Amino acid sequence: MYDASYMGPDGKLYIGNFNGLSKQMSRIDNPDVKGAGCNFCPRCLRVDSVYDWWGAGTPPCMPNYSLGAQECWPLSNNDISMKNEELEVYPNPTSSKLIIENAKGKEKELYNMQGQLIISTKENEIDVSRCSKGVYYIRCNGQVRKVVVD
């Protein structure tokens, strides 16, 4: 039986076992993927200590509350600024328009599955209402995102 959970800075979900009966934790490597693709690993993380009533040990970068107040921060500010520069495209899927963030003033290109350029613009919105249903790719500033037009 599982108890407390924690989203680690590595994007994995760490799950404690109920009532501290075990010094092992479970882990979900891909919490955003449904079904078997989430890579659930039951009791695969061994820990040295357990909490009093949570039953969870200390996963990577989770504070050990027995030591007092602690904070977990990235090793450098570059980690934060790089995340803010990632290309974000939403809503996905869509049938009307795509909004593109973190690429202001840069060329955005929409390609179909055959690699044909469909739209090229510097705008932060792309109208895809005239596009056929299917999978497309947005390329901007060396980054590519898959989008679905429904």
Side-chain angles (χ1 to χ4, degrees), residues 52-77:
D52 296 334
W53 59 273
W54 280 6
T58 306
C61 198
M62 185 169 184
N64 180 343
Y65 295 104
S66 64
L67 298 176
Q70 297 179 7
E71 296 180 17
C72 290
W73 292 99
L75 296 176
S76 70
N77 288 338

Side-chain angles (χ1 to χ4, degrees), residues 88-101 108-111 119 121 123-129 131 134 136-138 145-150:
E88 293 184 39
V89 181
Y90 62 90
N92 191 10
T94 187
S95 58
S96 57
K97 64 180 169 181
L98 289 166
I99 299 169
I100 299 137
E101 289 190 356
K108 291 118 186 139
E109 300 170 328
L110 180 70
Y111 291 89
I119 298 171
T121 183
E123 298 296 318
N124 292 329
E125 290 183 7
I126 296 179
D127 181 8
V128 293
S129 60
C131 294
Y136 293 83
Y137 293 93
I138 297 274
R145 297 291 179 267
K146 180 169 86 170
V147 295
V148 176
V149 174
D150 59 3

